Amino acid sequence: MRPIVQISLDLTNIDEALETAELAMRAGVDWLEAGTPLILAEGLHGVRELRAAFPKTPIVADLKTMDGGYLEAEMMANAGATHVVVMARAHEETIRCVVRAGGDFGCQVMGDNMVSEDMVAGAKRLEDLGCGFVIHHIGYDERRGIAARGDRMPSPLDQLREVVEAVEIPVQAVGGLSIEQAIECPKYGAPLVVLGAPLTIDADAFRTADGDLEASLRMICDAVHAQDVA
């Protein structure tokens, strides 16, 4: 697949999310993500508002589902999400439920391997259970906690090539990447480039980053879209 740019709207109110999404779409972003903070703050209402404002744009609902998979996926699909997220650490029956709901309601399933004991095996498990995408993810608390203790902060780039080689479905890398690293993801074979905290969202306040966000996003989108996927 061609490189795709997705912005994670890790915000806590729908008005700011809609403003950021409008700016992002003008800059060339392909997919919108209702980030976990937005879902916690606004729930289904937030996804419905995004769908109403952007009727033809793919919308990822970052549910991080661990249980109740069928119902969560059904609700988000009916609200307008085109993609939902289930965790690799969930029971395999939960993953199967999300995949089944995806088929029933026309929603694609992204599996997140965050905190898997073996990140590569976690990605492969998600593919084997029917997910259509893998999110190779180093978590926010994990990164910051390790760095605060003075140790090297882990990066999704550490094993990104291994994850890409282990699966046949598209992969995205999430977790503490710099803008330059995010732009490089297609060269690792990962076509889905995610922009969010801390690239375009203030990771501490969970609000839109200061500065000329639209110009930055346009530069990033142009750089990503100009590439071939390795």
Side-chain angles (χ1 to χ4, degrees), residues 111-162:
D112 187 325
N113 71 352
M114 186 176 72
V115 301
S116 293
E117 291 183 8
D118 181 324
M119 300 291 275
V120 177
K124 182 61 177 169
R125 177 174 187 261
L126 291 164
E127 180 182 44
D128 290 345
L129 289 171
C131 295
F133 302 83
V134 164
I135 303 170
H136 176 49
H137 188 181
I138 307 297
Y140 176 83
D141 290 336
E142 177 183 356
R143 300 191 315 269
R144 291 171 69 89
I146 290 171
R149 293 195 299 271
D151 296 326
R152 176 188 175 275
M153 185 172 70
S155 167
L157 298 185
D158 295 341
Q159 291 186 284
L160 182 55
R161 291 192 192 278
E162 294 174 67

Side-chain angles (χ1 to χ4, degrees), residues 1 31 83 108-112 126 131-135 169-170 192:
M1 64 184 295
W31 293 7
H83 298 70
Q108 299 190 64
V109 178
M110 308 180 83
D112 187 325
L126 291 164
C131 295
F133 302 83
V134 164
I135 303 170
I169 56 178
L192 300 171

Side-chain angles (χ1 to χ4, degrees), residues 55-69:
K56 297 182 179 180
T57 301
I59 295 174
V60 177
D62 188 11
L63 292 167
K64 294 186 173 68
T65 295
M66 285 294 292
D67 193 22

Side-chain angles (χ1 to χ4, degrees), residues 150-230:
D151 296 326
R152 176 188 175 275
M153 185 172 70
S155 167
L157 298 185
D158 295 341
Q159 291 186 284
L160 182 55
R161 291 192 192 278
E162 294 174 67
V163 169
V164 168
E165 290 170 1
V167 300
E168 297 182 5
I169 56 178
V171 174
Q172 63 179 206
V174 179
L177 297 179
S178 68
I179 291 175
E180 292 76 15
Q181 288 171 329
I183 292 171
E184 292 287 307
C185 282
K187 295 181 180 179
Y188 287 77
L192 300 171
V193 175
V194 184
L195 308 175
L199 299 180
T200 55
I201 303 296
D202 185 318
D204 293 311
F206 291 101
R207 57 182 172 76
T208 307
D210 294 331
D212 192 344
L213 177 58
E214 185 171 345
S216 297
L217 282 173
R218 186 171 292 110
M219 178 273 292
I220 295 168
C221 289
D222 289 347
V224 171
H225 290 149
Q227 298 180 61
D228 294 322
V229 180

